[in-house]
Amino acid sequence: MNISKISFAAFNQPRQINNTKPQIKEYNNTTKSINLNNSPSFFGSTFNFAPMDEQTFVQKGGSLKFGFARTDSNSPYSGRMVNNSKNMQVVSTYYNGEKTSVNISWSQRDDMDDIFIHLKKDSEINNVYGGKTFAWANETSDIEYMEEFNPDGNLVHSSLIGYKGPNDSTTVMHVQREYEDDGITPYREQTDVGETFSNLFGYTTRISERTSNGTKETHFDTTSKDKTRQAERRVIFYNKDAKPYRSIEDNVTYFDSATQMPYAKAEKRTVNKNKNGVNIIRDFGFETTDYNQGAGPIRKFMYEEHPYTIRKTEGDTKTFYDGVTRKRFAIEHHKDGKMFPDVIVNFDKMCAAEIREFATNTIFMDIYKDFETKISSMLFQRKGNNFAIKQVDIFDPATEQRSITRRFFPDGSITTLYYDEEGRIINSNKQLQENNEGEN
């Protein structure tokens, strides 16, 4: 998790998020999840190095009142215990029942490494309502973890706060967890990110809630890993194995991967898996907002989007449907996930195009009437961040022989060549940009 490259600040009292520009310090720190397959024997007075799951500990008759661990025989426990949720793993070390240290592995986001935090006990507070609050801090005192217990000794709330540096109170992130009545099972986790650090996390707020089927996770102001998509809200549904099986995004903006400029938007985006485990993506209310980006000029030439277009993406194929009639009007096929499609089909005009990239800056396209008779060929060349038409060849549908060639020049002029049935030039015409007059 790349947040591990930030140094956090000392904590004394809770502080407010501010907009201080971050000063980033580099360091590397990664961790692996703890293997629970070799859990120790519950009984015995020796220190158990392999961590035991907290729920298992309690089910076997142990207790964790106010964080003090006792076995079923009421003896103080020495060893490690682990509490897992989708985004956080907390490993607590006990000696003679007392919790002496806490190790936290926390996930910033699914596509990044975890951050590993080692904490020592900092303070203990007796609350006025009969509960207790324990505070834990790392060596540099720039991360603090707090646990709040109710009068019955059960954990009800925990809070992980990270700051920018030892002498800077700017909050990087604040993670809060709420627990079930058993004091063990977290049912809600919320992460709030400092305004200047949202680009590191890919969201400003993340809320994870436990459901009967797994976990429901809501992200606000979220950005995709490749920076090509932003959404005001994203909801992801995970199964009990923490594997995503469905997501919903609202008010989505798409960005060109080369220019990072917006080119399309959708009111809603959904992702589901088909029976083969392949993602099916549907964009509702899809609309291209800038046809100059990427493959926009080719799309604009080949088909017109319908009202409230639905775009369905399955594997390498994008299918476009009319939002009212639900009839498909176009298909794009993208080989190997490339930005430019290699095939475009227009069902309104019963035509298709084959597209080939000859070089980084050159695109060639053949157009077929009724999906089989070639009627035109087009050559596109990159001009800055856009592609412009350089040449168009028109073919006689009856013979599929080239009959007309039009060449487009940077000054705006167009040269037209006419061919006979033998392929010989029989006439030419040059149209100037300034006066639109032709020269024979």
Side-chain angles (χ1 to χ4, degrees):
M1 185 166 59
N2 288 341
I3 193 64
S4 64
K5 295 184 179 179
I6 292 181
S7 175
F8 297 114
F11 175 88
N12 291 313
Q13 296 295 331
R15 286 161 280 196
Q16 300 295 320
I17 294 175
N18 61 48
N19 297 328
T20 306
K21 186 176 181 180
Q23 300 293 325
I24 297 177
K25 294 184 178 180
E26 296 286 339
Y27 68 89
N28 294 317
N29 198 359
T30 58
T31 185
K32 295 182 179 179
S33 297
I34 292 175
N35 186 349
L36 299 179
N37 293 329
N38 298 317
S39 296
S41 171
F42 186 71
F43 300 99
S45 58
T46 59
F47 187 88
N48 294 310
F49 287 93
M52 176 180 287
D53 181 75
E54 287 185 352
Q55 285 189 337
T56 301
F57 183 86
V58 173
Q59 289 171 358
K60 288 180 176 289
S63 69
L64 293 170
K65 301 300 181 182
F66 295 109
F68 191 94
R70 294 183 182 276
T71 67
D72 61 337
S73 61
N74 205 33
S75 301
Y77 174 79
S78 293
R80 294 188 176 96
M81 273 186 279
V82 63
N83 185 305
N84 271 322
S85 67
K86 177 188 171 295
N87 296 316
M88 185 181 290
Q89 181 186 76
V90 180
V91 179
S92 302
T93 300
Y94 295 86
Y95 183 72
N96 287 333
E98 293 282 351
K99 186 185 295 189
T100 58
S101 67
V102 176
N103 291 326
I104 296 178
S105 178
W106 179 71
S107 173
Q108 173 185 341
R109 53 189 286 176
D110 289 342
D111 52 29
M112 294 184 178
D113 294 332
D114 290 357
I115 179 174
F116 180 79
I117 308 165
H118 179 70
L119 304 158
K120 291 286 189 178
K121 190 173 180 180
D122 183 66
S123 62
E124 178 181 334
I125 302 171
N126 291 318
N127 300 324
V128 293
Y129 57 82
K132 287 186 177 183
T133 298
F134 297 90
W136 307 77
N138 63 340
E139 284 188 5
T140 55
S141 297
D142 51 16
I143 298 177
E144 182 172 88
Y145 175 65
M146 301 178 69
E147 294 180 323
E148 182 180 349
F149 295 83
N150 64 17
D152 294 329
N154 292 329
L155 181 64
V156 294
H157 177 83
S158 66
S159 174
L160 178 68
I161 307 175
Y163 300 96
K164 193 177 74 172
N167 300 312
D168 194 323
S169 61
T170 303
T171 301
V172 175
M173 53 77 177
H174 186 188
V175 186
Q176 300 183 75
R177 300 171 88 191
E178 309 296 333
Y179 294 82
E180 299 280 7
D181 292 339
D182 60 8
I184 295 172
T185 308
Y187 67 86
R188 188 180 189 276
E189 177 187 298
Q190 177 168 333
T191 302
D192 293 301
V193 179
E195 183 177 347
T196 56
F197 300 96
S198 60
N199 63 318
L200 295 174
F201 291 74
Y203 55 85
T204 57
T205 297
R206 177 182 68 184
I207 300 175
S208 298
E209 298 174 288
R210 194 169 68 93
T211 70
S212 58
N213 296 323
T215 302
K216 171 186 174 183
E217 195 161 87
T218 304
H219 301 242
F220 295 90
D221 304 311
T222 180
T223 303
S224 63
K225 180 183 178 181
D226 58 7
K227 309 295 184 184
T228 61
R229 191 178 73 256
Q230 289 182 352
E232 288 186 5
R233 187 181 73 154
R234 183 185 188 196
V235 182
I236 310 174
F237 298 89
Y238 298 85
N239 60 23
K240 294 182 179 180
D241 296 324
K243 301 293 184 182
Y245 64 90
R246 185 185 179 207
S247 70
I248 302 172
E249 296 180 29
D250 296 321
N251 296 324
V252 183
T253 301
Y254 288 92
F255 297 85
D256 183 87
S257 58
T259 65
Q260 294 301 306
M261 296 295 293
Y263 76 89
K265 64 180 182 180
E267 294 180 11
K268 180 173 289 187
R269 180 181 192 264
T270 65
V271 181
N272 299 84
K273 292 185 181 297
N274 63 15
K275 61 182 181 180
N276 297 320
V278 177
N279 284 337
I280 299 178
I281 304 169
R282 291 180 175 89
D283 291 287
F284 297 89
F286 180 84
E287 179 185 349
T288 299
T289 55
D290 186 356
Y291 280 99
N292 292 319
Q293 300 293 326
I298 295 176
R299 293 190 175 101
K300 183 70 172 178
F301 181 84
M302 283 302 301
Y303 63 85
E304 294 285 341
E305 291 174 358
H306 286 213
Y308 198 74
T309 291
I310 299 173
R311 184 179 72 168
K312 175 185 174 182
T313 303
E314 186 171 2
D316 294 329
T317 303
K318 298 180 185 294
T319 307
F320 298 80
Y321 298 87
D322 185 292
V324 178
T325 66
R326 292 300 199 268
K327 292 183 178 180
R328 66 178 183 177
F329 64 84
I331 284 180
E332 293 182 8
H333 182 268
H334 293 251
K335 187 176 181 180
D336 299 326
K338 290 185 177 180
M339 176 179 65
F340 279 87
D342 61 322
V343 175
I344 297 179
V345 177
N346 184 330
F347 293 100
D348 290 337
K349 297 181 179 180
M350 296 296 289
C351 64
E354 287 185 338
I355 302 161
R356 299 185 298 277
E357 294 186 62
F358 285 119
T360 304
N361 297 320
T362 304
I363 302 293
F364 193 77
M365 180 167 68
D366 288 326
I367 301 172
Y368 297 86
K369 178 184 178 182
D370 297 328
F371 312 134
E372 60 181 6
T373 303
K374 184 162 71 171
I375 59 174
S376 180
S377 293
M378 304 180 69
L379 178 68
F380 294 83
Q381 284 190 334
R382 187 184 295 275
K383 186 178 181 181
N385 293 323
N386 304 320
F387 278 84
I389 297 175
K390 298 297 293 183
Q391 181 171 311
V392 176
D393 291 326
I394 299 175
F395 296 83
D396 185 337
T399 63
E400 293 194 43
Q401 295 293 320
R402 181 172 59 175
S403 59
I404 299 173
T405 294
R406 290 192 176 95
R407 293 172 181 165
F408 301 82
F409 297 92
D411 63 359
S413 62
I414 303 172
T415 295
T416 305
L417 305 175
Y418 300 88
Y419 302 88
D420 63 14
E421 293 180 358
E422 301 297 326
R424 294 172 296 193
I425 298 174
I426 58 175
N427 199 357
S428 66
N429 176 280
K430 186 174 183 180
Q431 183 177 343
L432 302 178
Q433 182 183 34
E434 294 180 357
N435 51 28
N436 290 329
E437 294 180 357
E439 296 180 359
N440 291 328

